[in-house]
């Protein structure tokens, strides 16, 4: 079981290469928003950056809130996503305690699936895909 | 994906009417510099003043913006308060990607709001928000207030002006996302004249990508080149500040209003000194993994009992030259303190620093009196400069009002033209020799970036007018392709013609790729045509006497070579700018 972690965000330069990589590789689009990891400045550029990313909750409140089983709890934390089942109700977005799930204006839901596609594109090694017991 | 047409958002601040429109010609003008010049020729009125409400303020990105690394700049074009002619300024930050995700290749703002406003844009959003309460706020405070007014963060750009722009100073910049700027030629004044305090663009949308694996593979290849090789090391290591001691060693670093080109005081303001003593952290433009933005810090004790505050100030080579060596400051924290005041005032740091250097020498020589200036300025003393910055931005007395319109404007009034370090506008930081002096005095952006003339001088090439002219013309033609894309010029080795063609092709832009070189030549001419349409006469450009007195490692400036090259380049520019030349 692998989890994406963002343990060294103090190194982040705000280049967004990670979230652009997620959008490009995982979701096949060019976007800041429609990605499983999103980088924000924490009160302007002078205050550094934070990563809005799934913390691999176990149990996962988003999966519990999902009425269709589109999001299913992974063993060991986090969720898997079946986009075909999603009715775009947004309950998962509301249930996420750390605002890590994005929903675009068409209603599509974007959540980190801990694949690690973003890790390769961080120039400062802020991100890590780590093996955890599960 | 690349379209044959441009999508342009037009906003009229007088009528409040706005809307998108398509314009053809993507293969002819590419984007960025080419698109901006084309739109300026279409829309600007050379017979009217720069601050007439009908004059357009244009922001343009390129066909590869956001799709590839370091395609991260925006071109801003306008009629300049410096000379009433076409002007271009470039900035990084988040602006380029925000425009891409908002879905526009260009933004064109015309008109003048009745009262100060903020323009809030996005894919599904055009809001003109009355914001008189922001007028008078400095650029940094404005940014903080705007972040509170407009919810959300990180995925948008905030461009705003400070008091210099509100007061229509010809040196007013547009501050972008706290640490970047549309610096040169007075774009901030154009916003001020439109009663436009700020533009925020939300990057909410998503763009389509090509099917298949080719695009992702090409992206990865380019990303690896810029992150896994030493190609970009200079920029993320010491940054451009590394140039300070290199140019000082070459006797090419302007000191104390270019009274010297080298000084032992360099040890206090080298790139290494800034890194060792002041570098707080690095930052990046959106979509660029290089992280060339160097943020320094300086702390100041403001009260007894160890009461301190600190400033975070972005530094680079040009700002250190302009507020450091040019003002005789040799202590890095002093330089950052002056730079920070310039940030708040919303002044272009290069123009402002060089103007204050002239004012200091003018005071020393008695060309102007302390009463006229209203405060003391001495080379090497930071405190006076920190106060002077705000007088320059406010322009309330005759002296500061004239200086705010350009150093040469003040020099023509008071005297001291000989030692005004003005090459078209206040000089960039390269006292490298004749080719640079000529290139900047005639150059379109009046910075040093339309050509690498400074590096031609440093290469110790022979004094050959034909060779130097050929270099200027060819280098500019190559660079306008980059600035039409709009690539960061730090990436120009990565994005050679073959690489750009591959990038365009993989995104379905075969027509643009096929005509890339021809487009470069066309855009080069188009930009000069836009400039000449405003009355620019290249034959009349002059180079002040101070530049003839300069001594570099190669010796004193050669007046005959300088004049011959000036005439040859001016003739070439005149020919390139003919209306029929562009079509040829």
């Amino acid at each position: 079981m692998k989890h994406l972690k963002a343990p060294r965000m103090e190194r982040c330069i705000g280049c967004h290469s990670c979230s652009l990589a997620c959008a490009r590789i995982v979701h096949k689009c060019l976007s800041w928003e429609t990605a499983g990891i999103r980088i924000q400045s924490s009160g302007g550029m002078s205050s550094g950056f934070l990563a809005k990313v799934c913390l691999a909750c176990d149990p996962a409140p988003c999966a519990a809130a999902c009425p269709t089983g589109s999001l299913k709890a992974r063993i060991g934390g986090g969720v898997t996503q079946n986009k075909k089942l999603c009715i775009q109700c947004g309950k998962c977005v509301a249930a996420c305690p750390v605002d890590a799930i994005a929903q675009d204006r068409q209603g599509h839901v974007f959540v980190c699936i801990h694949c690690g596609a973003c890790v390769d594109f961080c120039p400062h090694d802020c991100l890590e895909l780590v093996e955890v017991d599960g | 994906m690349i379209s044959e047409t441009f999508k342009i958002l037009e906003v009229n601040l007088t009528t409040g009417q706005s809307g998108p429109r398509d314009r053809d010609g993507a293969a002819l003008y590419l984007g960025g510099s080419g698109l901006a010049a084309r739109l300026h020729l279409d829309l600007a009125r050379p017979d009217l003043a720069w601050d007439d409400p009908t004059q357009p303020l244009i922001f343009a990105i390129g066909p590869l913006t956001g799709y590839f690394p370091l395609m991260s700049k925006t071109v801003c074009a306008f009629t300049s308060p410096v000379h009433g002619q076409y002007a271009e300024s470039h900035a990084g930050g988040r602006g380029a990607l925000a425009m891409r995700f908002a879905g526009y290749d260009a933004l064109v703002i015309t008109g003048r709001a009745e009262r100060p406003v903020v323009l809030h844009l996005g894919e599904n959003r055009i809001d003109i928000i009355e914001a008189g309460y922001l007028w008078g706020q400095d650029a940094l405070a404005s940014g903080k207030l705007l972040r509170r007014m407009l919810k959300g963060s990180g995925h948008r750009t905030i461009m705003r002006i400070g008091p210099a722009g509100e007061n229509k100073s010809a040196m007013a910049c547009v501050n972008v996302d706290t640490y970047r700027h549309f610096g040169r030629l007075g774009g901030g004044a154009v916003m001020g004249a439109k009663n436009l305090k700020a533009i925020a663009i939300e990057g909410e949308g998503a763009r389509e990508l090509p099917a298949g694996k080719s695009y992702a593979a090409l992206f990865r290849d380019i990303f690896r080149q810029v992150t896994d090789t030493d190609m970009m090391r200079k920029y993320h290591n010491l940054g451009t500040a590394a140039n300070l001691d290199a140019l000082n060693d070459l006797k090419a670093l302007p000191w104390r209003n270019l009274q010297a080109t080298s000084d032992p005081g360099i040890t206090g303001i080298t790139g290494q000194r800034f890194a060792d003593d002041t570098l707080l952290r690095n930052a990046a433009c959106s979509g660029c993994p290089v992280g060339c933005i160097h943020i320094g810090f300086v702390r100041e004790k403001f009260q007894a009992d160890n009461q301190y505050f600190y400033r975070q100030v972005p530094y680079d080579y040009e700002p250190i030259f302009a507020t450091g060596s040019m003002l005789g400051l040799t202590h890095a924290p002093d330089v950052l303190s002056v730079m920070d005041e310039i940030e708040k005032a919303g002044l272009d740091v290069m123009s402002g620093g060089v103007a204050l250097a002239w004012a200091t020498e003018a005071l020393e020589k008695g060309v102007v009196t302390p009463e006229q200036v209203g405060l003391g300025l001495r080379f090497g003393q930071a405190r006076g400069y920190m106060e002077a910055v705000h007088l320059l931005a406010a322009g309330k007395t005759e002296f500061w009002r004239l200086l705010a319109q350009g150093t040469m404007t003040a020099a023509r009034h008071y005297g001291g033209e000989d030692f005004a370090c003005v090459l078209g506008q206040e000089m960039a930081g390269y006292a490298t020799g004749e080719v640079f002096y000529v290139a900047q005095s005639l150059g379109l952006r009046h910075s040093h970036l339309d050509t690498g003339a400074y590096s031609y001088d440093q290469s110790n090439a022979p004094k050959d007018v034909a060779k130097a002219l050929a270099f200027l013309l060819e280098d500019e033609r190559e660079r306008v392709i980059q600035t039409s894309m709009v690539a960061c010029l730090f990436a120009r080795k990565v994005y050679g013609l073959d690489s750009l063609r591959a990038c365009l092709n993989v995104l379905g832009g075969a027509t643009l790729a096929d005509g890339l070189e021809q487009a470069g030549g066309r855009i080069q001419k188009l930009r000069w045509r836009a400039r000449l349409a405003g009355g620019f006469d290249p034959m009349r450009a002059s180079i002040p006497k101070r530049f003839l007195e300069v001594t570099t490692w190669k010796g004193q400036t050669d007046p005959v070579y300088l004049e011959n090259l000036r005439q040859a380049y001016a003739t070439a520019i005149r020919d390139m700018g003919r209306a029929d030349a562009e079509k040829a």
Side-chain angles (χ1 to χ4, degrees):
Chain A
M1 175 59 54
K2 287 181 173 169
H3 285 177
L4 176 70
K5 305 271 190 189
R8 290 175 289 276
M9 284 304 289
E10 66 275 13
R11 296 181 178 188
C12 178
I13 55 175
C15 70
H16 295 107
S17 296
C18 57
S19 59
L20 292 168
C22 177
R24 182 176 67 250
I25 297 164
V26 182
H27 301 290
K28 314 292 182 196
C29 65
L30 180 70
S31 172
W32 262 332
E33 300 284 349
T34 55
I37 180 168
R38 286 162 290 136
I39 301 300
Q40 285 197 339
S41 48
S42 50
M45 288 276 285
S46 59
S47 305
F49 301 92
L50 57 88
K52 286 166 78 170
V53 65
C54 172
L55 300 183
C57 304
D58 188 9
C62 56
C66 178
T68 66
S70 173
L71 295 186
K72 278 191 175 165
R74 285 198 319 170
I75 296 165
V79 291
T80 59
Q81 184 178 25
N82 182 342
K83 288 186 178 180
K84 284 182 186 164
L85 295 177
C86 180
I87 58 165
Q88 302 168 359
C89 65
K91 286 185 177 170
C92 55
V93 177
C96 177
V98 292
D99 193 23
I101 304 180
Q103 191 172 20
D104 69 13
R105 277 189 299 283
Q106 288 74 43
H108 302 117
V109 165
F110 298 86
V111 60
C112 174
I113 52 171
H114 300 272
C115 70
C118 53
V119 175
D120 277 354
F121 289 90
C122 175
H124 281 196
D125 201 22
C126 303
L127 308 174
E128 205 169 64
L129 195 64
V130 294
E131 190 71 43
V132 295
D133 292 338
Chain B
M1 301 289 281
I2 290 169
S3 166
E4 300 274 311
T5 55
F6 296 114
K7 192 169 179 190
I8 295 160
L9 178 63
E10 294 181 337
V11 176
N12 185 324
L13 293 174
T14 300
T15 63
Q17 291 299 303
S18 307
R21 74 174 171 97
D22 290 333
R23 194 199 189 285
D24 58 15
L28 294 175
Y29 308 117
L30 302 178
S33 285
L35 176 56
R38 181 69 264 170
L39 290 170
H40 196 269
L41 270 166
D42 290 349
L43 300 169
R45 289 274 307 271
D47 55 317
L48 297 177
W50 68 271
D51 56 351
D52 189 278
T54 59
Q55 301 286 25
L57 173 63
I58 299 160
F59 297 90
I61 59 171
L64 301 175
T65 298
Y67 288 99
F68 285 98
L70 283 100
M71 290 290 174
S72 48
K73 295 262 194 169
T74 307
V75 171
C76 178
F78 49 89
T79 302
S80 171
V82 173
H83 48 43
Q85 300 154 11
Y86 176 71
E88 233 183 67
S89 185
H90 300 187
R94 295 175 181 149
L97 266 65
M99 281 181 64
R100 167 64 66 226
F101 296 137
Y104 296 107
D105 298 299
L107 165 65
V108 176
I109 302 166
T110 56
R112 176 189 289 149
E114 268 184 49
R115 287 179 289 280
V117 295
V118 170
L119 188 55
H120 191 200
L121 305 172
E123 192 171 40
N124 303 94
R125 183 198 308 264
I126 304 170
D127 294 322
I128 301 173
I129 305 164
E130 287 214 21
Y133 49 87
L134 288 181
W135 212 248
Q137 297 283 346
D138 73 47
L140 297 182
S142 298
K144 288 178 182 161
L145 289 164
L146 284 157
R147 282 194 289 275
R148 277 165 58 194
M149 286 166 59
L150 315 171
K151 301 296 176 203
S153 68
H155 293 178
R156 67 173 173 214
T157 189
I158 297 179
M159 309 171 183
R160 67 275 196 180
I161 58 171
E166 295 175 5
N167 296 325
K168 301 204 282 185
S169 164
M171 298 176 191
C173 73
V174 180
N175 299 57
V176 181
D177 304 325
T178 310
Y179 295 131
R180 300 289 90 184
H181 315 84
F182 292 108
R184 299 290 252 173
L185 290 162
V190 177
M191 278 181 64
K194 294 189 175 306
N195 259 333
L196 180 57
K197 179 69 178 178
I199 305 163
I201 304 173
E202 304 285 342
E204 301 156 314
R207 307 271 79 84
E208 193 188 346
L209 288 178
K213 294 180 179 173
S214 305
Y215 165 67
L218 182 57
F219 185 102
R220 180 179 287 269
D221 178 46
I222 292 173
F223 191 90
R224 292 292 164 241
Q225 284 184 53
V226 295
T227 54
D228 289 357
T229 71
D230 276 346
M231 202 180 269
M232 293 292 156
R233 185 154 182 257
K234 172 184 172 182
Y235 302 112
H236 68 243
N237 182 14
L238 293 181
T240 55
N243 293 343
L244 279 146
D245 49 345
L247 285 167
N248 193 69
D249 286 350
L250 276 177
K251 296 192 179 128
L253 179 63
W255 283 90
R256 298 178 297 279
N257 200 40
L258 197 53
Q259 295 180 91
T261 50
S262 184
D263 192 280
I266 189 66
T267 52
I269 56 169
T270 62
Q272 192 65 56
R273 173 70 68 187
F274 271 85
D276 288 345
D277 294 354
T278 79
L279 182 57
L280 183 65
R281 63 190 177 91
N282 301 81
C285 298
S286 287
C288 171
V290 174
C292 78
I293 301 173
H294 288 66
I295 301 169
F297 79 98
V298 54
R299 61 181 199 144
E300 193 171 311
K301 188 174 181 180
F302 65 93
Q303 203 173 294
D305 300 331
N306 291 306
Q307 303 302 296
Y308 284 87
F309 67 83
Y310 74 101
R311 312 162 189 269
Q312 295 185 52
V313 192
Y315 66 79
D316 258 309
Y317 170 70
E318 296 284 2
I320 298 173
F321 133 74
T323 61
S325 62
M326 201 62 169
L327 300 180
L329 300 182
T330 55
H331 182 49
D334 284 349
V335 178
L336 291 179
S337 293
V338 176
M339 261 185 233
D340 187 53
E341 299 304 323
I342 284 185
E343 287 281 348
K344 289 186 211 158
L347 281 170
D348 170 47
V349 66
M350 293 158 73
S351 309
V354 174
L356 293 179
W358 175 83
T360 310
E361 191 173 338
L363 265 171
E364 275 185 355
K365 288 189 156 68
V367 170
V368 292
T369 66
E371 291 73 30
Q372 285 169 321
V373 176
L375 83 171
L377 294 175
R378 297 278 297 276
F379 287 122
Q381 295 188 4
R383 187 52 63 181
Y385 293 123
M386 290 171 73
E387 289 177 36
V389 162
H390 297 285
L391 298 176
L392 186 57
K396 284 199 177 132
T397 64
E398 181 192 62
F399 175 80
W400 292 106
R401 195 160 49 246
L402 286 167
L403 192 58
Q405 298 316 312
T407 301
M408 197 52 91
T409 303
R412 284 197 191 104
H413 183 84
Y414 294 106
E417 291 172 67
D418 285 353
F419 59 86
C421 294
V422 174
L423 295 168
Q425 71 170 340
E426 287 73 14
M427 76 176 297
Y430 295 87
T432 52
E434 296 85 351
V435 183
F436 173 72
Y437 306 144
V438 167
Q440 203 205 323
S441 66
L442 285 157
L444 198 132
R445 284 163 65 189
H446 282 319
S447 58
H448 58 285
L449 296 173
D450 279 329
T451 67
Y454 55 96
S455 63
Y456 186 86
D457 281 329
Q458 290 173 69
S459 71
N460 204 16
K463 289 180 182 173
D464 182 322
V465 170
K467 279 187 183 162
L469 179 64
F471 169 82
L472 291 173
L473 299 180
E474 178 59 19
D475 200 41
E476 183 195 357
R477 196 180 64 79
E478 285 177 15
R479 285 181 182 225
V480 295
I481 295 173
Q482 310 278 339
T483 60
S484 296
M485 285 293 141
V486 181
C488 174
L489 285 175
F490 291 166
R492 59 189 182 271
K493 284 183 185 161
V494 183
Y495 290 116
L497 284 177
D498 288 343
S499 173
L500 288 175
R501 282 194 202 95
C503 293
L504 289 164
N505 275 319
V506 83
L507 293 169
T511 319
L512 277 70
D514 290 347
L516 203 55
E517 282 183 273
Q518 294 88 326
R522 184 183 303 112
I523 293 163
Q524 183 178 25
K525 292 169 186 168
L526 182 77
R527 292 164 84 235
W528 288 117
R529 190 180 146 203
R531 182 86 197 276
L532 265 59
F536 177 51
D537 181 356
M539 306 308 284
R540 293 183 60 191
S542 65
I543 296 171
K545 194 176 168 195
R546 175 58 49 88
F547 293 94
L548 296 170
E549 297 163 353
V550 169
T551 302
T552 71
W553 59 295
K554 291 188 289 191
Q556 202 158 349
T557 303
D558 180 338
V560 176
Y561 178 44
L562 184 81
E563 180 56 17
N564 289 342
L565 182 59
R566 189 188 71 80
Q567 290 196 16
Y569 192 37
T571 305
I573 287 170
R574 193 188 56 193
D575 291 346
M576 282 191 289
R578 293 193 328 261
D580 59 330
E582 180 199 334
K583 298 185 185 82

